[in-house]
mmCIF file of all heavy atoms in Angstrom:
data_model
loop_
_atom_site.group_PDB
_atom_site.id
_atom_site.type_symbol
_atom_site.label_atom_id
_atom_site.label_comp_id
_atom_site.label_asym_id
_atom_site.label_seq_id
_atom_site.Cartn_x
_atom_site.Cartn_y
_atom_site.Cartn_z
ATOM 1 N N GLY A 117 -6.821 -2.658 1.992
ATOM 2 C CA GLY A 117 -7.058 -3.635 3.052
ATOM 3 C C GLY A 117 -5.784 -3.963 3.812
ATOM 4 O O GLY A 117 -5.777 -4.017 5.049
ATOM 5 N N LEU A 118 -4.693 -4.151 3.082
ATOM 6 C CA LEU A 118 -3.411 -4.440 3.726
ATOM 7 C C LEU A 118 -2.973 -3.285 4.623
ATOM 8 O O LEU A 118 -2.560 -3.502 5.769
ATOM 9 C CB LEU A 118 -2.334 -4.722 2.670
ATOM 10 C CG LEU A 118 -0.902 -4.886 3.192
ATOM 11 C CD1 LEU A 118 -0.792 -6.071 4.149
ATOM 12 C CD2 LEU A 118 0.064 -5.025 2.027
ATOM 13 N N LEU A 119 -3.090 -2.067 4.139
ATOM 14 C CA LEU A 119 -2.675 -0.914 4.944
ATOM 15 C C LEU A 119 -3.544 -0.751 6.187
ATOM 16 O O LEU A 119 -3.051 -0.352 7.248
ATOM 17 C CB LEU A 119 -2.682 0.363 4.093
ATOM 18 C CG LEU A 119 -1.584 0.413 3.027
ATOM 19 C CD1 LEU A 119 -1.841 1.560 2.054
ATOM 20 C CD2 LEU A 119 -0.209 0.527 3.657
ATOM 21 N N GLY A 120 -4.822 -1.090 6.081
ATOM 22 C CA GLY A 120 -5.681 -1.075 7.267
ATOM 23 C C GLY A 120 -5.229 -2.094 8.289
ATOM 24 O O GLY A 120 -5.178 -1.813 9.496
ATOM 25 N N GLU A 121 -4.871 -3.284 7.814
ATOM 26 C CA GLU A 121 -4.379 -4.327 8.718
ATOM 27 C C GLU A 121 -3.035 -3.952 9.322
ATOM 28 O O GLU A 121 -2.762 -4.270 10.483
ATOM 29 C CB GLU A 121 -4.287 -5.656 7.967
ATOM 30 C CG GLU A 121 -5.653 -6.216 7.627
ATOM 31 C CD GLU A 121 -5.610 -7.378 6.663
ATOM 32 O OE1 GLU A 121 -4.512 -7.905 6.386
ATOM 33 O OE2 GLU A 121 -6.685 -7.768 6.182
ATOM 34 N N VAL A 122 -2.195 -3.255 8.559
ATOM 35 C CA VAL A 122 -0.919 -2.769 9.079
ATOM 36 C C VAL A 122 -1.169 -1.818 10.247
ATOM 37 O O VAL A 122 -0.541 -1.915 11.297
ATOM 38 C CB VAL A 122 -0.096 -2.083 7.965
ATOM 39 C CG1 VAL A 122 1.008 -1.206 8.533
ATOM 40 C CG2 VAL A 122 0.501 -3.121 7.030
ATOM 41 N N GLY A 123 -2.115 -0.905 10.062
ATOM 42 C CA GLY A 123 -2.450 0.037 11.132
ATOM 43 C C GLY A 123 -2.921 -0.665 12.391
ATOM 44 O O GLY A 123 -2.495 -0.326 13.502
ATOM 45 N N ILE A 124 -3.766 -1.665 12.231
ATOM 46 C CA ILE A 124 -4.284 -2.426 13.376
ATOM 47 C C ILE A 124 -3.138 -3.150 14.084
ATOM 48 O O ILE A 124 -3.044 -3.146 15.316
ATOM 49 C CB ILE A 124 -5.384 -3.403 12.932
ATOM 50 C CG1 ILE A 124 -6.638 -2.616 12.510
ATOM 51 C CG2 ILE A 124 -5.727 -4.395 14.035
ATOM 52 C CD1 ILE A 124 -7.672 -3.434 11.760
ATOM 53 N N ALA A 125 -2.263 -3.782 13.311
ATOM 54 C CA ALA A 125 -1.119 -4.488 13.906
ATOM 55 C C ALA A 125 -0.219 -3.519 14.664
ATOM 56 O O ALA A 125 0.260 -3.829 15.765
ATOM 57 C CB ALA A 125 -0.324 -5.208 12.817
ATOM 58 N N LEU A 126 -0.019 -2.341 14.095
ATOM 59 C CA LEU A 126 0.831 -1.342 14.751
ATOM 60 C C LEU A 126 0.224 -0.828 16.051
ATOM 61 O O LEU A 126 0.943 -0.587 17.022
ATOM 62 C CB LEU A 126 1.124 -0.184 13.795
ATOM 63 C CG LEU A 126 2.143 -0.488 12.700
ATOM 64 C CD1 LEU A 126 2.065 0.550 11.589
ATOM 65 C CD2 LEU A 126 3.549 -0.569 13.271
ATOM 66 N N VAL A 127 -1.091 -0.662 16.082
ATOM 67 C CA VAL A 127 -1.756 -0.245 17.318
ATOM 68 C C VAL A 127 -1.513 -1.288 18.405
ATOM 69 O O VAL A 127 -1.182 -0.950 19.552
ATOM 70 C CB VAL A 127 -3.265 -0.005 17.095
ATOM 71 C CG1 VAL A 127 -4.008 0.123 18.414
ATOM 72 C CG2 VAL A 127 -3.489 1.232 16.242
ATOM 73 N N GLY A 128 -1.657 -2.557 18.057
ATOM 74 C CA GLY A 128 -1.402 -3.630 19.010
ATOM 75 C C GLY A 128 0.039 -3.628 19.491
ATOM 76 O O GLY A 128 0.309 -3.791 20.688
ATOM 77 N N MET A 129 0.972 -3.422 18.578
ATOM 78 C CA MET A 129 2.385 -3.406 18.959
ATOM 79 C C MET A 129 2.715 -2.189 19.816
ATOM 80 O O MET A 129 3.500 -2.291 20.765
ATOM 81 C CB MET A 129 3.269 -3.442 17.719
ATOM 82 C CG MET A 129 3.280 -4.807 17.058
ATOM 83 S SD MET A 129 4.470 -4.944 15.724
ATOM 84 C CE MET A 129 3.761 -3.886 14.491
ATOM 85 N N ALA A 130 2.106 -1.043 19.501
ATOM 86 C CA ALA A 130 2.368 0.176 20.283
ATOM 87 C C ALA A 130 1.854 0.010 21.704
ATOM 88 O O ALA A 130 2.522 0.408 22.667
ATOM 89 C CB ALA A 130 1.716 1.388 19.625
#
Side-chain angles (χ1 to χ4, degrees):
L118 173 61
L119 290 168
E121 290 169 10
V122 162
I124 291 167
L126 285 164
V127 167
M129 287 187 291

